[in-house]
Amino acid sequence: MRALHMQMYCLQQINMDSKTLSLPGVNILIVDDEPDILEITKLILSHYDAEVIAVLSAAEGLVQMQKKSFNIIISDIGMPYMAGYQFIQKVRRLPIH
């Protein structure tokens, strides 16, 4: 229920603000183990026409990085199994597409 209230609040804030920011063609990868945060972040960025892929783990993020190139990566730092710092280190070692 808390997540639903948070999503409704974010939607209200987006609708109250003018749509001055536009991100068409910007590919964004969001990596976060918290589903509510992931969904809200995706919702907000999608509102500004960004192309957003959201995943629940660093391992899933690495899979997405090998499939597609991203302009922006947003990652949680404290995730289980592989922390955000480790994820970014591995991303930096990937070959550039």
Side-chain angles (χ1 to χ4, degrees):
M1 193 65 152
R2 182 176 157 253
L4 178 60
H5 289 292
M6 183 73 97
Q7 288 177 346
M8 290 174 62
Y9 174 77
C10 287
L11 284 172
Q12 289 170 349
Q13 294 303 311
I14 289 170
N15 290 332
M16 288 193 308
D17 296 336
S18 64
K19 191 173 179 178
T20 56
L21 179 64
S22 184
L23 300 170
V26 177
N27 295 313
I28 302 174
L29 174 65
I30 307 169
V31 183
D32 198 312
D33 63 320
E34 186 62 45
D36 295 341
I37 299 298
L38 197 66
E39 198 57 39
I40 289 167
T41 308
K42 181 177 180 179
L43 178 73
I44 292 169
L45 292 170
S46 296
H47 175 77
Y48 293 104
D49 301 321
E51 295 177 31
V52 181
I53 293 181
V55 296
L56 287 165
S57 72
E60 290 178 72
L62 290 172
V63 169
Q64 290 301 320
M65 289 295 301
Q66 295 186 9
K67 291 181 181 178
K68 185 176 184 169
S69 65
F70 293 91
N71 305 102
I72 300 169
I73 301 169
I74 300 171
S75 177
D76 183 9
I77 294 172
M79 295 183 287
Y81 309 112
M82 185 187 315
Y85 292 118
Q86 294 168 312
F87 168 67
I88 295 301
Q89 287 174 343
K90 290 184 182 224
V91 166
R92 288 181 176 164
R93 289 188 209 126
L94 291 174
I96 297 173
H97 301 345

